[in-house]
């Protein structure tokens, strides 16, 4: 059993040591590898993308590769990291520029990684411009940011820009399964998919949730129900059940299920957003070509296909329009529960509304003919 002293979170324990281990950023790793191998690496790089997708990790790998170090421990004197969120003044940049003047004590290059570079003040940016434009031959600057649009154009024009992607749910689930195998943890594919979806494209967040689920487990396993309970995620089953009742116009059953969801502590707004997503998934399930737009496990995909076959496209389009209006009006509503309940009742009676519209339209045509 691990003690507190030797426990290392998965995000650190499994931080990639080389580009081949980086998940979901092949376009970045291939380009950087070719640039290094062909000695065409720019001296100023800008890594842009969401949090937790590997920007700092790739920066450290670049530092190791260009200095030809076998491991990260050897490069501590060659890599300098600055967090611009808390070191964003002119003085901080001047201190960094002073360090740049001295060549590396070992290896070929000194690598300066500036994280959250968009947080630098305008004065700090301006102080940095000259050094960034004409750095000494042994200096490499890697700037990382989650908000590229906040970096001033004069900095952008001096950098080679790399845009990192959000990591796909399937890629993250596969990576979590690999780690679980290394740690001797049994897992359910649905559970790992759910963790990956909840992380919103950030692998670091997925690894943190993975660690949390391992901590919750008493038998070294991660299952779907445990993930739903402990990460407070609304089960797919609710959306399938509610949609089934809506199609049958069973308003009472729908309202009771919505009450059960609220009693479990879920937010009405999140429920409506999730229901809209459910209708969208049913819509894309209607065509084999668009099924791949759903990033969900195969067994759940099969359930969507089955329910989609019993649901008309006109129903889904109208239902999504109604739920989208509820989403827009939710925050401004004084009685949010009633707003959601009215939304559900409208959806349940979509077919009646369509029949009424057709009947009224028919009466209007009849009056025109009579006149």
């Amino acid at each position: 059993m691990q003690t507190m002293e030797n426990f290392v979170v998965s995000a650190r324990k499994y931080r990639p040591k080389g580009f081949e281990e980086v998940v979901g950023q092949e376009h970045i790793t291939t380009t950087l590898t070719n640039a290094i191998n062909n000695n065409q690496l720019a001296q100023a790089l800008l890594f842009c993308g969401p949090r937790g997708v590997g920007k700092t990790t790739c920066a450290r790998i670049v530092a190791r590769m260009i200095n030809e170090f076998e491991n990260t421990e050897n490069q501590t004197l060659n890599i300098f990291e600055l967090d611009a969120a808390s070191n964003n003044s002119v003085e901080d940049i001047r201190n960094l520029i002073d360090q740049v003047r001295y060549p590396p004590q070992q290896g070929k290059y000194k690598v300066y990684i500036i994280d959250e570079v968009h947080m630098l003040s305008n004065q700090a940016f301006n102080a940095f411009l000259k050094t960034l434009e004409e750095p000494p031959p042994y200096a490499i600057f890697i700037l990382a940011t989650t908000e590229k649009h906040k970096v001033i154009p004069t900095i952008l024009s001096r950098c080679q820009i790399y845009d990192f992607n959000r990591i796909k749910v399937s890629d993250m689930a596969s990576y979590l399964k690999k780690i679980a195998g290394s740690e001797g943890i049994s897992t359910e594919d649905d559970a790992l998919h759910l963790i990956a979806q909840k992380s919103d494209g950030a692998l670091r967040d997925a690894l943190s949730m993975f660690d949390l689920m391992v901590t919750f487990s008493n038998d070294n396993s991660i299952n779907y129900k445990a993930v739903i309970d402990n990460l407070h995620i609304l089960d797919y089953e609710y959306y399938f059940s509610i949609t089934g009742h809506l199609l049958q116009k069973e308003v009472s059953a729908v309202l009771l299920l919505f009450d059960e969801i609220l009693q479990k502590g879920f937010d009405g707004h999140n429920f409506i957003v999730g229901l809209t997503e459910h209708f969208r998934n049913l819509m894309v399930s209607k065509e084999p070509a668009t099924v791949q737009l759903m990033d969900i496990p195969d067994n759940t995909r099969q359930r969507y296909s089955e329910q989609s076959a019993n649901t008309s496209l006109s129903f889904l389009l109208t239902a999504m329009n109604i739920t989208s209006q509820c989403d827009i009006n939710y925050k401004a509503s004084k009685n949010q529960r009633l707003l959601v309940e009215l939304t559900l009742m409208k959806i349940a009676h979509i077919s009646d509304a369509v029949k009424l519209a057709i009947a009224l339209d028919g009466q209007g045509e009849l009056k025109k003919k009579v006149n």
Side-chain angles (χ1 to χ4, degrees):
M1 185 176 179
Q2 287 184 322
T3 63
M4 285 292 289
E5 288 79 9
N6 63 16
F7 175 75
V8 180
V9 295
S10 295
R12 285 181 56 201
K13 186 175 181 179
Y14 293 96
R15 183 187 287 274
K17 303 291 192 298
F19 283 141
E20 69 282 355
E21 298 176 25
V22 175
V23 180
Q25 307 295 349
E26 287 78 11
H27 64 298
I28 301 283
T29 56
T30 301
T31 306
L32 287 172
T33 301
N34 291 341
I36 292 168
N37 291 341
N38 297 325
N39 200 25
Q40 294 176 338
L41 187 70
Q43 285 190 266
L45 312 175
L46 179 64
F47 289 176
C48 316
R51 71 185 192 283
V53 296
K55 297 186 296 297
T56 305
T57 293
C58 284
R60 290 174 179 172
I61 293 171
V62 168
R64 181 180 64 80
M65 288 180 70
I66 60 178
N67 282 305
E68 299 176 356
F69 290 145
E70 290 300 318
N71 55 58
T72 52
E73 285 75 17
N74 288 343
Q75 64 185 38
T76 51
L77 295 176
N78 291 66
I79 184 168
F80 301 87
E81 295 191 32
L82 180 74
D83 178 20
S86 52
N87 302 280
N88 54 12
S89 67
V90 175
E91 195 60 39
D92 293 315
I93 291 299
R94 282 178 181 158
N95 290 338
L96 184 143
I97 292 170
D98 285 340
Q99 291 180 18
V100 175
R101 293 174 185 166
Y102 304 103
Q105 295 180 17
Q106 60 177 356
K108 300 176 183 177
Y109 299 96
K110 292 171 79 173
V111 181
Y112 297 87
I113 301 171
I114 305 179
D115 213 359
E116 300 299 339
V117 72
H118 64 273
M119 300 286 282
L120 288 178
S121 65
N122 280 334
Q123 292 85 353
F125 270 131
N126 291 330
F128 192 34
L129 283 176
K130 189 66 176 174
T131 303
L132 199 63
E133 188 170 24
E134 297 178 4
Y138 51 79
I140 303 286
F141 293 97
I142 304 178
L143 317 180
T145 180
T146 52
E147 300 184 56
K148 183 170 72 172
H149 60 281
K150 291 186 179 179
V151 180
I152 62 174
T154 46
I155 292 287
L156 291 175
S157 65
R158 288 165 169 80
C159 296
Q160 203 171 70
I161 300 172
Y162 293 84
D163 290 300
F164 284 67
N165 295 331
R166 286 183 184 277
I167 301 172
K168 293 179 182 177
V169 171
S170 55
D171 289 343
M172 273 198 278
S174 298
Y175 188 68
L176 292 175
K177 192 173 185 69
K178 181 181 174 183
I179 289 176
S182 300
E183 296 289 330
I185 298 165
S186 62
T187 60
E188 293 179 5
D189 288 346
D190 284 4
L192 297 181
H193 255 84
L194 208 55
I195 292 172
Q197 283 179 323
K198 180 82 171 175
S199 67
D200 193 27
L203 184 57
R204 186 171 58 229
D205 291 3
L207 290 169
S208 296
M209 283 186 268
F210 177 84
D211 286 344
L212 185 64
M213 291 313 307
V214 172
T215 305
F216 277 129
S217 171
N218 292 321
D219 56 356
N220 228 28
S221 67
I222 299 176
N223 60 59
Y224 181 77
K225 188 178 185 308
V227 172
I228 283 175
D229 292 343
N230 294 314
L231 296 183
H232 200 61
I233 299 170
L234 190 57
D235 193 352
Y236 287 126
E237 192 59 45
Y238 277 109
Y239 294 122
F240 282 112
S241 297
I242 282 176
T243 302
H245 290 308
L246 288 171
L247 290 168
Q248 298 299 319
K249 303 180 189 176
E250 296 169 346
V251 175
S252 298
V254 171
L255 295 181
L256 287 170
L257 273 175
F258 178 54
D259 179 68
E260 185 180 321
I261 289 166
L262 293 179
Q263 294 300 325
K264 288 190 172 183
F266 291 99
D267 178 61
H269 197 180
N270 289 339
F271 163 74
I272 280 293
V273 171
L275 186 60
T276 308
E277 178 72 11
H278 182 76
F279 291 149
R280 178 258 183 195
N281 286 342
L282 289 174
M283 182 182 69
V284 300
S285 296
K286 287 193 165 294
E287 293 290 335
T290 54
V291 167
Q292 62 183 350
L293 296 175
M294 292 190 298
D295 216 346
I296 56 177
D298 289 338
N299 58 339
T300 310
R301 189 172 292 172
Q302 180 61 32
R303 289 203 62 190
Y304 272 111
S305 297
E306 290 169 2
Q307 190 167 69
S308 176
N310 300 318
T311 314
S312 70
L313 184 60
S314 60
F315 173 88
L316 292 172
L317 290 171
T318 308
M320 280 191 285
N321 188 35
I322 294 170
T323 54
S324 294
Q325 284 301 313
C326 180
D327 180 17
I328 292 166
N329 297 326
Y330 190 88
K331 287 187 178 178
S333 174
K334 293 288 176 64
N335 192 337
Q336 295 172 333
R337 175 170 181 157
L338 179 60
L339 177 67
V340 175
E341 289 173 339
L342 283 172
T343 297
L344 294 171
M345 286 186 274
K346 284 179 185 176
I347 295 171
H349 293 289
I350 283 174
S351 60
D352 295 337
V354 171
K355 288 175 186 175
L356 180 61
I358 292 171
L360 290 173
D361 190 50
Q363 288 178 8
E365 288 296 322
L366 187 61
K367 285 181 181 178
K368 284 180 184 178
K369 288 179 182 178
V370 171
N371 294 333

